[in-house]
C-alpha cells in the first residue's frame, strides 16, 4: 500500500473552489480532519444507501498484505446532485481514493475524492465539513 | 470566436420571446440586454398547495443544529449534557459514541424535520386538512383546519397533533402539541419535552415564495420561548417535480454502523 499524506491546505483550496459542504448527522469527530491519505485500491463493494453511501475497497502493500478499507460519503440524494450514481463504482474497479482517515488507525475514513478507472474525478466529502 | 457570434443570436431570441406583439428588431443588438427583473406573480389567497424546497437547500439541512436557542432549564441542560450524544454541534462526540435516534432509523419527528433535513415537501389542501408530505423519511403530517381544538392530554406522537388556521389571506399558522419526548430538536442534540408547543407561520410572500417561522415554547426544557427558524425562505418548485424517496432502512443503517461506526469506536 502506498500511502501519500496530503496537506489539507493544498488539497482544501482546490476542493473549496468546486465543492459545497455536505451534511453529516453522524459527525466527523472520529476522523483526523487535518490529514488526508491517497491510495490505490480495488473496489469490493459500493453501497448506495441511507444514511450514508460507502465504498469498500482493498489495498495491497509492497509485501502483499491486503487491507480492507471502507470510506463514506453522504446519502444518495446529495451524491446524485454531485454527479455520483448507484453505478458509479463497480466491483473490481481499480480506483485512487483520497480519505480523511480515522484517528484510531482503523482502515475507515471520509471519502474526499475518488479517481475512477477512466480518469474521471468525483468529489465526495469536503474540507468544509469538520 | 464562436461565443462572440452566438451571444447576439441568443440575446435576440430572448428579446423576441420577451417582446411578443412588439415590432421585430431589424438587427440583433451588439450587446446582450439583460431582461428586466420579473416580479413574481402575487400569492393566491389562502393557498399553500404545491411542492416547496428551501431556497438554499443547504440551509434546509442545517447539519450543525439551530443557530441559537433560549437557555436550557436544569432539566433540559441535564439531557443535553449528560444523555444526548450528538454527532454534530458543540457537544458532538466520536461517531461510535453517537446516540442520535436517527442513526437507528427512528423517526426524525416534529419539529426536527423542519430544523434538520428540510428537503422538498408537498402541500395538499383539502376542505378540512392541510397535508404536508416530506421527502425526508417519506412521512406526512395532517394539519386539521376544521376548527377542532388541540387534544388536552394526548398520547405522544412522533409528529404530534396539529391544527391550523389562516390568520389572514396569506399567513397560515399551525399549532402543534403532543410530540414524543424521545425525538431531538436538531443534529446538535438539543432536547425538548412532551410539554412543548410549536408554532409554525407560513407567510406566502408571492406565488413563488413562502417564509417559514418556527417558534418553540417548551417551559420544561427552555427558560423562555424562542425562534428556531425565522422567515426561512421556501421556493415553489415546478409542479412536475418528482420528490425523491429518502428512507432510512434499518438493515442499511446496521450495515453502515458495522462498517463505519464500529471500527471508529474501537
Amino acid at each position: 500500500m502506498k500511502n501519500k499524506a496530503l496537506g489539507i491546505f493544498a488539497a482544501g483550496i482546490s476542493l473549496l473552489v468546486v465543492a459545497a459542504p455536505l451534511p453529516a448527522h453522524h459527525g466527523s469527530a472520529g476522523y483526523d480532519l487535518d490529514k488526508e491519505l491517497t491510495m490505490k485500491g480495488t473496489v469490493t463493494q459500493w453501497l448506495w444507501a441511507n444514511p450514508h453511501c460507502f465504498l469498500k475497497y482493498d489495498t495491497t502493500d509492497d509485501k502483499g498484505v491486503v487491507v480492507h478499507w471502507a470510506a463514506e460519503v453522504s446519502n444518495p440524494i446529495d451524491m446524485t446532485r454531485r454527479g455520483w450514481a448507484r453505478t458509479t463504482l463497480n466491483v473490481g474497479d481499480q480506483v485512487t481514493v483520497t480519505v480523511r482517515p480515522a484517528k484510531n488507525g482503523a482502515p475507515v475514513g471520509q471519502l474526499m475524492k475518488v479517481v475512477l478507472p477512466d480518469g474521471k474525478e468525483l468529489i465526495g466529502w469536503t474540507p468544509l465539513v469538520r | 470566436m464562436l461565443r462572440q457570434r452566438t451571444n447576439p443570436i441568443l440575446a435576440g431570441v430572448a428579446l423576441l420571446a420577451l417582446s411578443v406583439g412588439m415590432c421585430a428588431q431589424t438587427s440583433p443588438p451588439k450587446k446582450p440586454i439583460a431582461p428586466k427583473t420579473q416580479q413574481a406573480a402575487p400569492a393566491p389567497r389562502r393557498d399553500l398547495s404545491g411542492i416547496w424546497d428551501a431556497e438554499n437547500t443547504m440551509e434546509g439541512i442545517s447539519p450543525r443544529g439551530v443557530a441559537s436557542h433560549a437557555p436550557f432549564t436544569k432539566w433540559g441542560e441535564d439531557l443535553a449534557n449528560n444523555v444526548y450524544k450528538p454527532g454534530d454541534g458543540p457537544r458532538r462526540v466520536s461517531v461510535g459514541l453517537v446516540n442520535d435516534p436517527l442513526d437507528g432509523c427512528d423517526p426524525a419527528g416534529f419539529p426536527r424535520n423542519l430544523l434538520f433535513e428540510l428537503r422538498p415537501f408537498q402541500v395538499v389542501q383539502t376542505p378540512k386538512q392541510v397535508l404536508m408530505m416530506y421527502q425526508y423519511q417519506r412521512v406526512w403530517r395532517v394539519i386539521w383546519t376544521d376548527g377542532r381544538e388541540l387534544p388536552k392530554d394526548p398520547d405522544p406522537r412522533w409528529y404530534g397533533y396539529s391544527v391550523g388556521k389562516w390568520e389572514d389571506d396569506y399567513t397560515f399558522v399551525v399549532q402543534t402539541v403532543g410530540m414524543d419526548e424521545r425525538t431531538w430538536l436538531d443534529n446538535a442534540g438539543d432536547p425538548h419535552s412532551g410539554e412543548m408547543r410549536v408554532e409554525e407561520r407560513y407567510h406566502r410572500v408571492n406565488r413563488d415564495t413562502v417564509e417559514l417561522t418556527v417558534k418553540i415554547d417548551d417551559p420544561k426544557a427552555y427558560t423562555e420561548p424562542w425562534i428556531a427558524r425565522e422567515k426561512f425562505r421556501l421556493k415553489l418548485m415546478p409542479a412536475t417535480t418528482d420528490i425523491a424517496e429518502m428512507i432510512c432502512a434499518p438493515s442499511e443503517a446496521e450495515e453502515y454502523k458495522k462498517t463505519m461506526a464500529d471500527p471508529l469506536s474501537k
Side-chain angles (χ1 to χ4, degrees):
Chain A
M1 177 175 68
K2 186 180 179 183
N3 287 350
K4 184 182 178 185
L6 299 175
I8 188 107
F9 180 77
I13 293 301
S14 62
L15 291 174
L16 281 169
V17 174
V18 297
L22 285 170
H25 71 266
H26 299 82
S28 303
Y31 299 110
D32 186 341
L33 305 184
D34 294 319
K35 185 177 181 183
E36 290 192 359
L37 300 176
T38 297
M39 63 196 96
K40 293 185 186 299
T42 303
V43 174
T44 56
Q45 198 174 10
W46 166 231
L47 283 97
W48 185 248
N50 287 299
H52 290 187
C53 307
F54 55 92
L55 174 68
K56 292 184 178 178
Y57 60 98
D58 286 352
T59 59
T60 308
D61 68 13
D62 295 340
K63 297 175 183 174
V65 176
V66 175
V67 179
H68 305 300
W69 276 84
E72 62 171 309
V73 287
S74 191
N75 61 68
I77 286 173
D78 290 337
M79 298 320 293
T80 298
R81 284 208 304 256
R82 313 204 54 188
W84 297 61
R86 183 175 53 80
T87 53
T88 293
L89 293 146
N90 299 287
V91 174
D93 283 354
Q94 303 293 312
V95 292
T96 302
V97 183
T98 300
V99 301
R100 289 197 294 210
K103 288 176 182 171
N104 66 4
V108 294
Q110 288 183 316
L111 203 170
M112 308 301 284
K113 185 175 77 173
V114 64
V115 182
L116 302 177
D118 64 3
K120 185 179 178 184
E121 287 188 12
L122 289 171
I123 301 299
W125 227 270
T126 84
L128 288 177
V129 177
R130 295 181 70 88
Chain B
M1 195 65 171
L2 181 62
R3 197 172 194 176
Q4 287 175 346
R5 289 178 59 195
T6 51
N7 268 347
I9 296 170
L10 287 173
V13 170
L15 262 179
L16 192 61
L18 290 169
S19 58
V20 176
M22 294 175 65
C23 294
Q25 299 286 320
T26 53
S27 60
K30 291 180 180 174
K31 292 181 180 177
I33 297 174
K36 289 180 180 177
T37 302
Q38 290 194 342
Q39 289 198 331
R45 290 179 63 249
R46 300 187 176 223
D47 188 4
L48 292 174
S49 301
I51 298 169
W52 300 91
D53 194 11
E55 197 166 71
N56 176 345
T57 54
M58 292 314 298
E59 289 177 6
I61 296 165
S62 303
R64 301 279 186 273
V66 295
S68 63
H69 57 75
F72 292 129
T73 61
K74 192 173 183 312
W75 184 88
E77 189 173 17
D78 181 54
L79 276 184
N81 289 337
N82 302 323
V83 181
Y84 294 175
K85 305 295 181 192
D88 283 300
R91 297 180 298 276
R92 73 180 184 184
V93 299
S94 182
V95 172
L97 302 175
V98 172
N99 62 7
D100 188 333
L102 279 189
D103 287 7
C105 296
D106 270 8
F110 178 82
R112 185 171 180 181
N113 67 328
L114 299 185
L115 306 182
F116 171 62
E117 300 274 13
L118 180 53
R119 293 170 182 273
F121 67 100
Q122 182 164 4
V123 178
V124 175
Q125 293 186 199
T126 75
K128 296 184 187 303
Q129 301 169 322
V130 170
L131 306 176
M132 293 193 177
M133 305 185 290
Y134 303 92
Q135 172 181 285
Y136 188 64
Q137 294 190 334
R138 206 124 175 128
V139 296
W140 78 95
R141 293 169 60 211
V142 176
I143 299 162
W144 290 99
T145 54
D146 59 355
R148 73 180 60 191
E149 299 285 324
L150 285 168
K152 300 298 181 196
D153 185 24
D155 290 336
R157 285 181 176 174
W158 299 107
Y159 289 86
Y161 300 76
S162 301
V163 298
K165 64 178 182 182
W166 289 92
E167 190 176 84
D168 58 43
D169 285 346
Y170 306 105
T171 309
F172 184 61
V173 180
V174 183
Q175 304 288 342
T176 303
V177 297
M179 276 72 79
D180 193 305
E181 223 166 75
R182 287 173 292 178
T183 61
W184 295 6
L185 283 188
D186 58 20
N187 264 32
D190 289 316
H192 72 84
S193 79
E195 297 175 16
M196 175 173 61
R197 185 185 184 101
V198 179
E199 179 184 274
E200 301 156 86
R201 301 178 71 84
Y202 295 86
H203 176 59
R204 191 152 188 178
V205 178
N206 53 45
R207 184 194 60 190
D208 299 336
T209 309
V210 161
E211 290 177 343
L212 166 63
T213 297
V214 180
K215 185 170 82 173
I216 308 291
D217 186 359
D218 185 352
K220 187 173 176 183
Y222 298 90
T223 57
E224 58 188 1
W226 54 282
I227 303 294
R229 281 207 191 277
E230 185 163 20
K231 295 184 177 177
F232 183 76
R233 289 175 76 86
L234 301 165
K235 66 181 176 187
L236 184 65
M237 304 293 286
T240 52
T241 302
D242 182 26
I243 296 180
E245 189 177 71
M246 197 171 181
I247 292 172
C248 187
S251 58
E252 291 180 347
E254 181 59 27
E255 183 70 17
Y256 173 83
K257 179 178 179 297
K258 189 173 69 180
T259 305
M260 302 302 309
D262 289 351
L264 282 171
S265 62
K266 287 177 182 170

